[in-house]
């Protein structure tokens, strides 16, 4: 974990509530500094990296919730980690460590990954759902997406790229029907990659949430901010 703290750069991208114009959630992005990238991305280290990112997200969320107790952070988790029970157990422990805060941590996986998951990874998804961890499906393709099955896995957010949604009057009936069905199951749609304000206005008929350059680029979190927040968490636990 110490090596990750030295080499991983965390950024937060705002997810905007289109109706209020305010930040509703954040999506966590990560990158590596210098030569650490190849070593840190090795498959055998990915579960440890995912646990590290999840812990850091919890630390940041504790700080962010001071101004809005409804904020959440979408945290990426790899298919490698989903197949390892020990790693998932650790994630569940982290999730259970801060009741009232950790409910805002949302595990995010790409739709393309979901289709190719091994049986062990699918069981990992079911394990997280039983642990009460909410999930998000990013870069989703509407065609063939089984909302009822996603509901059972505690998927509460589906990310659609702005390009796949289209713009008025070209938004397809399929998108409208999908959004209506999703809302019936309490699944929120996030349109990603929104490029300009005009597109954002048009999307209000489709989704409640959106992200992209029209709002803000991911902003790097200073390491001293994370460290300070972590110290606050430790002090509160004593």
């Amino acid at each position: 974990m110490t090596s990750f703290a030295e080499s991983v750069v965390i950024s937060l991208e705002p997810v905007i509530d289109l109706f209020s114009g305010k930040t509703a959630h954040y999506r966590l992005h990560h990158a590596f500094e210098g030569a650490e990238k190849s070593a840190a991305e090795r498959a055998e280290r990915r579960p440890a990296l995912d646990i590290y990112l999840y812990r850091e997200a919890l630390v940041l969320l504790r700080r962010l919730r001071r101004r809005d107790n409804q904020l959440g952070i979408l945290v990426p988790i790899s298919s490698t980690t989903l197949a390892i029970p020990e790693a998932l157990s650790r994630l569940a422990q982290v999730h259970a460590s801060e009741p009232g805060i950790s409910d805002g941590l949302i595990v995010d996986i790409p739709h393309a990954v979901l289709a190719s998951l091994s049986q062990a990874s699918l069981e990992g998804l079911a394990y997280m759902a039983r642990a009460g961890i909410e999930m998000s499906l990013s870069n989703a393709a509407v065609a063939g997406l089984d909302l009822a099955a996603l509901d059972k896995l505690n998927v509460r957010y589906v990310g659609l790229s702005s390009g796949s949604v289209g713009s008025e009057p070209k938004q397809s009936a399929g998108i409208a029907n999908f959004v209506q069905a999703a809302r019936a199951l309490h699944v929120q749609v996030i349109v990603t990659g929104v490029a300009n304000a005009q597109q954002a206005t048009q999307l209000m008929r489709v989704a409640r949430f959106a992200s992209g350059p029209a709002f803000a680029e991911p902003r790097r979190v200073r390491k001293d901010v994370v460290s300070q927040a972590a110290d606050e968490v430790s002090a509160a636990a004593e």
Side-chain angles (χ1 to χ4, degrees):
M1 295 297 178
T2 302
S3 64
F4 289 132
E6 295 170 351
S7 62
V8 175
V9 176
I10 292 175
S11 301
L12 293 178
E13 179 184 16
V15 175
I16 305 300
D17 185 322
L18 291 170
F19 295 97
S20 69
K22 298 180 179 179
T23 298
H25 303 297
Y26 288 93
R27 185 184 300 276
L28 184 145
H29 299 268
H30 74 279
F32 300 97
E33 289 185 318
E36 293 291 331
K37 180 175 181 178
S38 59
E41 285 190 320
R42 287 200 305 262
E44 67 269 20
R45 295 195 68 193
R46 187 55 198 251
L49 173 62
D50 285 344
I51 294 168
Y52 170 78
L53 293 174
Y54 202 77
R55 287 176 56 190
E56 295 297 282
L58 178 59
V59 167
L60 291 169
L61 184 59
R62 194 176 199 275
R63 189 180 183 92
L64 291 167
R65 285 244 171 137
R66 292 177 181 173
R67 58 183 173 84
D68 185 346
N69 61 11
Q70 299 299 313
L71 276 170
I73 298 180
L74 283 72
V75 188
I77 297 294
S78 69
S79 57
T80 302
T81 299
L82 289 174
I84 300 177
E86 294 82 359
L88 295 181
S89 176
R90 182 59 186 140
L91 286 174
Q93 290 172 11
V94 174
H95 192 84
S97 68
E98 288 273 345
I101 301 293
S102 58
D103 60 296
L105 294 180
I106 304 150
V107 166
D108 185 63
I109 62 172
H111 185 197
V113 168
L114 182 66
S116 60
L117 288 180
S118 66
Q119 184 59 36
S121 295
L122 290 172
E123 291 172 0
L125 284 177
Y127 172 85
M128 288 197 296
R130 291 194 299 271
I133 300 174
E134 291 189 352
M135 281 183 267
S136 166
L137 200 64
S138 56
N139 297 320
V142 170
L145 199 60
D146 188 341
L147 283 170
L150 296 182
D151 182 48
K152 292 179 181 177
L153 290 173
N154 211 19
V155 173
R156 291 291 161 255
Y157 297 89
V158 172
L160 305 177
S161 71
S162 59
S164 69
V165 171
S167 58
E168 292 285 7
K170 296 181 180 179
Q171 286 169 353
S172 69
I175 291 291
N177 292 337
F178 172 81
V179 170
Q180 186 175 5
R183 287 174 179 166
L185 290 172
H186 305 288
V187 176
Q188 295 285 353
V189 172
I190 301 173
V191 180
T192 61
V194 179
N196 54 64
Q198 179 182 3
Q199 188 179 31
T201 301
Q202 294 171 343
L203 289 171
M204 291 180 70
R205 294 187 181 183
V206 175
R208 179 176 177 181
F209 301 110
S211 63
F215 308 104
E217 298 285 356
R219 179 173 295 181
R220 179 171 176 168
V221 178
R222 299 198 319 269
K223 292 185 183 297
D224 62 308
V225 171
V226 180
S227 298
Q228 180 183 352
D231 291 340
E232 293 169 356
V233 171
S234 298
E238 292 176 355

